[in-house]
């Protein structure tokens, strides 16, 4: 066997091993949440789960309810082994819970952030994020059930979110204070772009309806590349300029990487090779170079672009979701470009993530580590961590690894080529 064929066989074996490892972990994570999170009495899900799955608080966070409905439906739709009646029934029960209780004052669209176990509103946030995940849940429920009222809910809520973001934010309840800078967080156009991709994936009419919005979101995200292209900043002014002070210097490597794969997916759909290359350079390589801890490994949670001490107490912690997003971003980047440096980064992040976050005893992943990688909080879920980032990462990586393996020619073929010889965007899709 020639050196090239040996290399290809080794590559195939490594990809296959990671596919099996990721798939097995996805099974364990799904089993943990199916066993511990279902509220059989009121519908919806418990997300405040201790290490062993015990419920330590029965409050329900609307964005996590929406995420779990979406995730269950995605798994049911995409994976034969998850086409389980219990999974679909639980997703529908979660969706009905959202329909009944998520909105604070129907027919108004504003959703609560926190509900009691039986659905009474506790707290409202002056943001769009509960509504965004409500939209994702309803759209995905429509896809797996075919019931039109779910899609009607999704499109109507999407229209409301776009109105708040682009026309009139007063409905969010956030006062316009004279000293507050006119700033834009990268999270807002990111989430809107994600919704454009979500709603447009199975509806050509909506693809056309949201085409301009998708391009607008991409332009707004790209404005966060600052310092002559050498930094991605979390907050910029509304006209795309750097802001003064801590707000302007703030960096979130995990968010930049997540924005990277959102943008890359958008660029692949538009068949824009220039944008694809720009995204890989500025939203994949750049955040990793600045955000990876050279001493202990893992991604810093927050950074200051000038190297000053961040003011957030958790800035040096290692959290589950940035590493989940990094795994998706680097594997998608490699699937699209064939650049072996991106595959190397996927392996590097995945090895760290599986070693440090995974709980071999009880299942699922820990969410919060200190800088040197020791577990700080043993909880498996809470107000911010639910059934979303970990299973989304594992599911998407399993799909992409399978696509990569299918593109590798058999090693016995005399004309066997490399991954880069195949139209790369097929794997990312």
């Amino acid at each position: 066997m020639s050196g090239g064929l040996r290399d290809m066989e080794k590559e195939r074996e490594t990809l296959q091993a990671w596919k099996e490892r990721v798939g097995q972990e996805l099974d364990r994570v799904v089993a943990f949440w199916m066993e511990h999170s279902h509220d059989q009495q009121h519908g919806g899900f418990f997300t405040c789960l201790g290490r062993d799955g015990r419920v330590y608080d029965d409050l329900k966070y609307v964005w996590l309810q929406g995420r779990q409905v979406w995730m269950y439906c995605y798994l049911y739709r995409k994976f034969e082994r998850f086409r389980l009646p219990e999974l679909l029934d639980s997703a529908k029960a979660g969706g009905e819970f959202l329909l009944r209780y998520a909105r604070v004052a129907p027919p108004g669209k504003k959703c609560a952030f926190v509900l009691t176990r039986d659905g009474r509103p506790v707290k409202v946030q002056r943001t769009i994020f509960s509504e965004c995940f409500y939209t994702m849940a309803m759209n995905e429920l429509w896809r797996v059930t075919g019931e039109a009222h779910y899609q009607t809910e999704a499109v109507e809520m999407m229209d409301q979110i776009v109105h708040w973001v682009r026309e009139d934010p007063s409905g969010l309840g956030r006062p316009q204070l004279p000293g507050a800078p006119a700033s834009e967080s990268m999270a807002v156009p990111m989430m809107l772009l994600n919704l454009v991709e979500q709603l447009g994936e199975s509806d050509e009419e909506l693809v056309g309806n949201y085409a301009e919005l998708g391009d607008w979101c991409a332009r707004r995200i790209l404005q966060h590349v600052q310092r002559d292209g050498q930094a991605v900043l979390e907050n910029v002014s509304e006209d795309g300029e750097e802001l003064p002070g801590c707000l302007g210097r703030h960096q979130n490597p995990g968010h930049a990487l997540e924005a990277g794969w959102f943008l890359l997916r958008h660029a692949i759909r538009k068949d824009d090779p220039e944008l694809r290359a720009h995204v890989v350079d500025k939203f994949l390589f750049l955040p990793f170079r600045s955000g990876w801890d050279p001493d202990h490994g893992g991604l810093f949670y927050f950074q200051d672009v000038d190297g000053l001490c961040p003011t957030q107490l958790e800035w040096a912690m290692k959290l589950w979701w940035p590493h989940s997003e990094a795994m998706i971003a680097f594997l998608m980047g490699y699937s699209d470009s064939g650049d072996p440096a991106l595959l190397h980064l996927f392996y590097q992040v995945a090895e760290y993530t599986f070693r440090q976050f995974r709980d071999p005893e009880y299942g699922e992943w820990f969410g919060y580590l200190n800088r040197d990688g020791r577990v700080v909080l043993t909880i498996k879920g809470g107000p911010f961590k639910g059934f979303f980032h970990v299973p989304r990462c594992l599911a998407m990586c399993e799909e992409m690894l399978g696509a990569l393996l299918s593109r590798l020619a058999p090693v016995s073929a005399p004309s066997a080529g490399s991954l880069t010889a195949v139209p790369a965007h097929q794997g990312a899709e």
Side-chain angles (χ1 to χ4, degrees), residues 293 296-297 316 318 352 356 369-375:
D293 184 343
H296 301 283
K318 312 295 168 58
Y352 175 89
Q356 302 299 140
L369 314 178
N370 67 7
R371 181 175 178 182
D372 64 12
R374 288 177 294 159
V375 176

Side-chain angles (χ1 to χ4, degrees), residues 230-416:
Q230 297 306 304
V232 179
L233 303 180
E234 185 71 10
N235 305 291
V236 295
S237 71
E238 288 189 343
D239 56 357
E241 299 297 325
E242 185 173 340
L243 295 164
C246 294
L247 182 69
R249 297 195 306 271
H250 180 55
Q251 291 184 290
N252 184 332
H255 238 176
L257 287 160
E258 186 179 18
W261 73 259
F262 286 6
L263 283 169
L264 186 57
R265 187 173 57 176
H266 175 73
I268 291 168
R269 181 187 286 271
K270 291 180 68 67
D271 194 20
D272 186 338
E274 185 176 345
L275 178 58
R276 283 149 67 179
H278 180 74
V279 168
V280 167
D281 184 37
K282 302 305 181 185
F283 285 87
L284 272 62
F285 284 127
L286 190 60
F288 183 84
R289 284 198 295 267
S290 65
W292 189 259
D293 184 343
D295 298 319
H296 301 283
L299 290 162
F300 288 115
Y301 195 34
F302 297 133
Q303 292 183 292
D304 183 293
V305 70
D306 287 336
L308 302 175
C309 180
T311 57
Q312 297 89 351
L313 298 180
E314 70 274 29
W315 73 269
M317 290 179 67
K318 312 295 168 58
L319 271 66
W320 83 103
W321 70 263
H323 296 80
S324 300
E325 301 309 314
M327 286 174 61
I328 296 171
F330 290 131
L331 196 54
M332 187 181 292
Y334 176 64
S335 298
D336 180 57
S337 70
D339 185 345
L342 291 164
L343 183 61
H344 172 76
L345 292 178
F346 166 76
Y347 290 148
Q348 182 177 339
V349 174
E351 287 287 1
Y352 175 89
T353 302
F354 272 63
R355 183 176 66 248
Q356 302 299 140
F357 288 98
R358 182 176 178 274
D359 183 356
E361 185 173 353
Y362 290 102
E364 240 286 345
W365 292 5
F366 299 111
Y368 303 87
L369 314 178
N370 67 7
R371 181 175 178 182
D372 64 12
R374 288 177 294 159
V375 176
V376 176
L377 303 179
T378 60
I379 59 173
K380 296 294 176 54
F384 304 98
K385 184 177 185 292
F387 184 74
F388 184 64
H389 288 99
V390 174
R392 181 174 71 170
C393 164
L394 296 171
M396 291 183 67
C397 287
E398 182 178 341
E399 290 178 291
M400 288 188 284
L401 287 163
L404 285 168
L405 285 164
S406 71
R407 284 159 48 188
L408 277 170
V411 296
S412 58
S415 60

Side-chain angles (χ1 to χ4, degrees), residues 185-201:
S185 166
M186 190 162 60
V188 172
M190 274 178 62
M191 274 306 307
L192 267 183
L193 182 59
N194 188 46
L195 290 179
V196 168
E197 296 294 324
Q198 170 74 32
L199 271 65
E201 184 182 340

Side-chain angles (χ1 to χ4, degrees), residues 64-82:
L64 299 186
Q65 301 294 308
R67 286 170 167 178
Q68 190 154 346
V69 170
W70 179 87
M71 195 71 243
Y72 273 5
C73 292
Y74 183 92
L75 292 171
Y76 184 89
R77 183 167 61 89
K78 293 273 194 172
F79 293 83
E80 184 67 34
R81 70 182 187 273
F82 291 126

Side-chain angles (χ1 to χ4, degrees), residues 129-206:
F129 302 116
S130 291
E131 293 78 10
C132 287
F133 291 105
Y134 178 97
T135 303
M136 288 176 63
M138 294 300 145
N139 176 256
E140 199 68 32
L141 271 170
W142 166 69
R143 293 195 203 184
V144 297
T145 67
E147 296 179 24
H149 70 286
Y150 291 129
Q151 180 70 338
T152 299
E153 282 287 328
V155 173
E156 289 181 357
M157 185 64 83
M158 178 67 168
D159 291 344
Q160 179 64 78
I161 294 167
V162 173
H163 176 78
W164 283 332
V165 171
R166 298 188 69 178
E167 297 178 33
D168 182 9
S170 62
L172 296 172
R174 190 185 307 124
Q176 301 295 310
L177 302 175
S183 63
E184 178 181 83
S185 166
M186 190 162 60
V188 172
M190 274 178 62
M191 274 306 307
L192 267 183
L193 182 59
N194 188 46
L195 290 179
V196 168
E197 296 294 324
Q198 170 74 32
L199 271 65
E201 184 182 340
S202 298
D203 191 319
E204 286 302 317
E205 182 179 351
L206 289 181

